[in-house]
Amino acid sequence: MGIFDSLENSPALRNALGQLGAAVLPAVLGEVMGTGSQGGLNAIVAKLEQAGFGAQVKSWIGTGQNLPISADQLRQVLGSDVVRQLAAKYNIPVDQLSEILAQQLPQAVDHASPDGKLPHSA
């Protein structure tokens, strides 16, 4: 076990990273799901489905349990350049931003589709 392993498991470090993520999460999700360069919620959903993540997307939109997506999978769909640009804009490490998005995007899509359907204006 190396020094970085012990740091990674540090509650204080996890708490700090969590607070950083929580502070910028609304802005980042707004960029990803909004009308920014990604084209909005429907465009993100379409990209995810085209990339083979239809089961995950359906679980997020549906009323059951949300299936997970990994940070690497999400980075592939959004594009590494987009993730790097967002990370630079909000001064967050790329890996951390990817992890935050992978954890929070399913919940955000779920909340945006409370009736099991995407809103028409998404």
Side-chain angles (χ1 to χ4, degrees):
M1 180 177 197
I3 189 167
F4 292 112
D5 293 331
S6 63
L7 284 175
E8 192 174 277
N9 293 322
S10 161
L13 179 61
R14 284 180 179 227
N15 188 36
L17 292 175
Q19 288 175 351
L20 176 63
V24 299
L25 181 62
V28 171
L29 283 175
E31 293 220 19
V32 171
M33 294 177 55
T35 57
S37 63
Q38 292 299 307
L41 181 56
N42 284 326
I44 293 297
V45 165
K47 281 184 180 182
L48 287 162
E49 288 173 337
Q50 290 169 359
F53 300 106
Q56 283 93 331
V57 170
K58 285 179 184 171
S59 76
W60 304 344
I61 295 170
T63 56
Q65 176 104 11
N66 291 337
L67 295 175
I69 189 165
S70 75
D72 289 336
Q73 291 168 329
L74 196 53
R75 194 171 25 233
Q76 288 174 347
V77 173
L78 295 176
S80 292
D81 288 342
V82 169
V83 175
R84 274 195 297 271
Q85 288 169 2
L86 285 170
K89 181 175 183 175
Y90 293 102
N91 199 28
I92 300 174
V94 172
D95 290 342
Q96 183 183 352
L97 179 68
S98 298
E99 288 293 331
I100 291 168
L101 284 174
Q103 290 173 7
Q104 298 300 319
L105 186 61
Q107 293 176 23
V109 172
D110 191 21
H111 289 295
S113 56
D115 299 325
K117 297 177 190 166
L118 287 176
H120 293 291
S121 61

